[in-house]
Amino acid sequence: MSSSLANLAPIPELYVSYESAQKMKGEAAQLTSFDLTPRQICDLELLMNGGFNPLKGFLSQEDYDGVVENMRLADGTLWPIPITLDVSEKFADSLEIGQDIALRDQEGVILATMTVTDRWAPDKAREAEKVFGADDSAHPAVNYLHNQAGKIYLGGPVTGIQQPVHYDFRARRDTPNELRAFFRKMGWRRVVAFQTRNPLHRAHQELTFRAAKEAQANLLIHPVVGMTKPGDVDHFTRVRCYEAVLDKYPSSTTSMSLLNLAMRMAGPREAVWHGIIRRNHGCTHMIVGRDHAGPGKNSAGEDFYGPYDAQELFREHQAEIGIEMVDFKHMVYVQERAQYEPADEIADKDDVTILNISGTELRRRLAEGLEIPEWFSFPEVVSELRKTRPPRAKQGFTVFFTGFSGSGKSTIANALMVKLMEMGGRPVTLLDGDIVRKNLSSELGFSKEHRDLNIRRIGYVASEITKNGGIAICAPIAPYATTRRAVREDIEQFGAFIEVHVATSIEECERRDRKGLYKLAREGKIKEFTGISDPYDVPETPELRVETEGTDVDNCAHQVILKLESMGLIAA
């Protein structure tokens, strides 16, 4: 078979036959089970269906070390991203090496079995440094690594029993072999993939048209619907946007398929990974853009990766990846000619009007309900986005007060609630510490673990209120920065999160000691008391800081109202 058609031949999958699968399902009842997280399910699906070919399972320790160090498996094969099964120490301790475990989805349905050949505690700081370029928790994958992933990694081969179930957009999801079969049937020899996690606007359409023309290839729009980064437009909305745009493409040369990938936002390494995954799906070319799969700014406020780092790394490994790169032209709209042109090819730059709307600007216009011009995006796409992202003054949001016990959080929160109720328009819910303790967390004590759990519950309820267009006001102490960040991420999927630091000094709180708690803490009768025997992480960049010493409650609540107005959350 000539190499030009190698992209169309079937590739190995890790699934057993239907008969064996039925038999294994029965036998699996005897095995120790592990319930996978959504991110692990994404990884498992691509392992099983050949999307991660040549991997035969979760990486062994030796393979992991090679991947982290120099993007290669132990046998020298190019592979840039660690694919490991992270578990808790407790679960890892219950296993023997060589043991088979059942991997199940969140409903307990068995998807695969795995033979545990390796078990180790990884050096996560090193993984962050090497794979993501920095051990900086502003990177979503580094934050995940340190604050969500289990402490122990398991490695070993996987035997696939059945695909994870997707109830959404079923006709749009294809395994690598299904896509290869489709390309064979259509007679497509050359296929250029477009990787995206954002809605497509006119510039993207121009760019993909040009890329396909340049490579003389057919076009596969291949958006990621697994996990992207916090704050991205949800995949339901995006797929509806893609479907609206598909009509603008010639159907004989363009197709769309959804990829259930958990992105790591690892920039250059991610681009190489995306290339290997697209090669497995039968593509011959891939578009790599500026700052491909970049996560945005680091802790110092600079971009994590240079704009062309990903293209350079891809170019370097292109032959080995087995896919050709089509580099992204930055497309801008030239008003006089009423068309999109590559920014670097406009000879008469100084004599024409060049228009461009950044992602940030687009979000601002959606948030404020401003016009989005037709030259920028298709009306069908804009109307889908507006359904999910109404103007801010119609969205739900959460105001989250944090500060020492007795700092005045509850008092200001109550005043704010009354002021917002007076304005009307949205239901307002106050999730105050004592109310929550009584109704949601009556069984919890005051250990660090229990206090964290209490805050996560408050965050969960607030995120549901926000999602449904209401206003949630929370007033816990919330001493730990990582917990506050987790709550922020839960809520920002659905609406704005306003952190208000009630910056009353510990001396003042102790002087007030309304509930007599400081006295008890000083006498050692309350253990782990924030500010006395337990730390308080002062918020570094809250949306608002209010000083309560010498300021009356009404004024503090009014400062919050002014902040909400300036953010467009309440109509001025």
Side-chain angles (χ1 to χ4, degrees):
M1 184 173 205
S2 76
S3 63
S4 64
L5 303 186
N7 63 309
L8 303 181
I11 62 164
E13 296 184 353
L14 304 181
Y15 289 110
V16 293
S17 70
Y18 178 77
E19 289 72 23
S20 306
Q22 296 312 101
K23 185 162 161 273
M24 284 179 72
K25 275 184 206 173
E27 292 165 356
Q30 313 308 316
L31 300 178
T32 300
S33 285
F34 183 73
D35 291 343
L36 301 161
T37 64
R39 170 161 150 163
Q40 291 166 340
I41 292 174
C42 289
D43 284 351
L44 179 65
E45 178 168 354
L46 286 164
L47 278 172
M48 296 193 297
N49 69 19
F52 285 171
N53 184 55
L55 302 191
K56 297 288 178 256
F58 291 100
L59 297 183
S60 68
Q61 187 172 356
E62 192 188 6
D63 282 334
Y64 164 83
D65 288 336
V67 168
V68 170
E69 281 305 316
N70 56 19
M71 304 206 309
R72 295 191 180 277
L73 301 172
D75 68 6
T77 310
L78 181 70
W79 188 269
I81 300 286
I83 306 296
T84 48
L85 187 64
D86 58 282
V87 301
S88 67
E89 291 165 295
K90 189 178 166 200
F91 181 78
D93 288 343
S94 72
L95 303 176
E96 306 284 324
I97 293 293
Q99 181 177 344
D100 284 352
I101 59 173
L103 302 180
R104 298 178 180 274
D105 70 11
Q106 308 210 288
E107 305 286 315
V109 174
I110 186 162
L111 303 175
T113 62
M114 167 184 173
T115 306
V116 181
T117 57
D118 292 69
R119 168 179 60 195
W120 73 101
D123 178 346
K124 290 187 174 181
R126 176 167 195 72
E127 180 178 335
E129 193 69 53
K130 289 285 196 178
V131 179
F132 306 109
D135 188 9
D136 177 346
S137 282
H139 192 300
V142 175
N143 179 49
Y144 178 90
L145 197 60
H146 289 310
N147 298 318
Q148 285 163 281
K151 284 202 170 24
I152 306 293
Y153 285 175
L154 302 180
V158 160
T159 303
I161 293 176
Q162 57 192 350
Q163 297 194 43
V165 184
H166 300 288
Y167 296 107
D168 56 328
F169 308 114
R170 295 176 84 150
R172 296 263 182 221
R173 294 173 183 269
D174 304 281
T175 67
N177 281 327
E178 284 168 344
L179 269 184
R180 286 168 173 244
F182 171 74
F183 298 152
R184 279 200 299 276
K185 180 174 168 184
M186 297 295 285
W188 290 8
R189 295 280 173 268
R190 295 161 70 87
V191 183
V192 57
F194 181 55
Q195 140 81 32
T196 174
R197 59 171 229 273
N198 293 312
L200 296 191
H201 304 295
R202 286 190 185 254
H204 301 108
Q205 189 209 16
E206 280 297 325
L207 160 99
T208 49
F209 267 160
R210 281 173 181 257
K213 203 162 138 190
E214 213 171 283
Q216 296 180 317
N218 298 284
L219 177 66
L220 175 70
I221 299 173
H222 209 199
V224 169
V225 294
M227 298 172 74
T228 57
K229 81 178 229 249
D232 280 348
V233 178
D234 71 280
H235 82 265
F236 299 103
T237 303
R238 285 192 290 118
V239 177
R240 290 195 297 269
C241 290
Y242 299 139
E243 291 184 328
V245 177
L246 264 185
D247 296 344
K248 318 278 177 198
Y249 287 92
S251 60
S252 56
T253 56
T254 304
S255 179
M256 177 173 82
S257 179
L258 308 182
L259 179 66
N260 199 45
L261 174 72
M263 285 182 68
R264 305 321 200 238
M265 311 305 299
R269 279 193 180 219
E270 180 110 11
V272 171
W273 191 43
H274 288 170
I276 295 170
I277 293 167
R278 294 326 190 294
R279 175 201 68 204
N280 288 333
H281 282 79
C283 302
T284 54
H285 295 68
M286 179 172 127
I287 299 170
V288 180
R290 284 171 68 242
D291 193 23
H292 185 96
K297 307 275 182 227
N298 64 16
S299 295
E302 289 150 12
D303 286 335
F304 266 97
Y305 310 114
Y308 299 106
D309 290 0
Q311 294 184 359
E312 281 163 26
L313 195 67
F314 199 102
R315 197 172 281 115
E316 212 177 298
H317 294 93
Q318 189 163 271
E320 224 179 325
I321 295 170
I323 202 163
E324 269 178 67
M325 173 167 78
V326 181
D327 49 7
F328 190 110
K329 309 279 186 288
H330 184 46
M331 305 296 287
V332 292
Y333 188 75
V334 180
Q335 192 170 9
E336 286 74 0
R337 294 194 276 275
Q339 65 185 15
Y340 275 91
E341 298 175 19
D344 52 2
E345 290 173 24
I346 303 171
D348 51 357
K349 263 199 181 47
D350 305 331
D351 313 325
V352 293
T353 319
I354 291 177
L355 303 176
N356 194 16
I357 292 182
S358 67
T360 316
E361 171 67 5
L362 173 67
R363 284 190 290 275
R364 185 185 75 87
R365 291 187 180 207
L366 282 169
E368 295 176 21
L370 303 173
E371 189 227 359
I372 293 164
E374 221 166 294
W375 62 260
F376 175 75
S377 194
F378 306 100
E380 302 91 325
V381 171
V382 174
S383 86
E384 279 303 340
L385 288 173
R386 287 203 196 278
K387 281 181 208 164
T388 320
R389 298 263 166 122
R392 276 196 133 172
K394 295 198 168 86
Q395 287 177 16
F397 63 87
T398 293
V399 180
F400 191 94
F401 290 95
T402 169
F404 291 123
S405 174
S407 57
K409 299 181 302 294
S410 298
T411 318
I412 301 169
N414 268 298
L416 176 67
M417 174 173 76
V418 173
K419 286 175 183 286
L420 287 169
M421 288 171 91
E422 181 190 353
M423 290 179 181
R426 283 175 280 199
V428 186
T429 306
L430 176 64
L431 296 167
D432 187 33
D434 298 341
I435 303 170
V436 170
R437 282 272 171 190
K438 190 174 134 206
N439 294 298
L440 269 183
S441 299
S442 56
E443 85 290 11
L444 297 185
F446 288 88
S447 66
K448 177 179 192 321
E449 205 180 341
H450 276 191
R451 286 188 296 169
D452 261 355
L453 192 51
N454 187 45
I455 303 298
R456 293 306 297 262
R457 287 181 188 175
I458 292 174
Y460 170 71
V461 177
S463 75
E464 288 293 315
I465 291 167
T466 302
K467 175 166 82 180
N468 289 295
I471 299 173
I473 303 174
C474 314
I477 296 172
Y480 311 119
T482 40
T483 316
R484 294 194 300 259
R485 171 175 174 158
V487 169
R488 177 185 288 273
E489 284 184 0
D490 288 347
I491 287 163
E492 283 184 340
Q493 302 172 55
F494 308 118
F497 179 84
I498 299 88
E499 183 174 46
V500 182
H501 177 213
V502 182
T504 314
S505 69
I506 189 79
E507 295 74 22
E508 173 66 12
C509 294
E510 190 160 2
R511 205 178 51 68
R512 296 177 185 172
D513 204 3
R514 296 226 174 87
K515 300 178 185 168
L517 297 173
Y518 284 93
K519 183 171 177 293
L520 292 171
R522 288 284 180 208
E523 291 166 2
K525 290 180 183 156
I526 302 178
K527 300 274 175 277
E528 299 186 282
F529 190 77
T530 300
I532 303 291
S533 49
D534 205 58
Y536 176 78
D537 302 338
V538 175
E540 288 175 19
T541 51
E543 276 69 13
L544 183 65
R545 228 183 272 282
V546 294
E547 308 286 347
T548 62
E549 300 168 50
T551 315
D552 65 6
V553 173
D554 197 336
N555 183 286
C556 292
H558 194 64
Q559 286 177 44
V560 182
I561 293 280
L562 291 172
K563 182 70 190 173
L564 294 173
E565 271 185 11
S566 76
M567 291 174 75
L569 290 163
I570 48 185

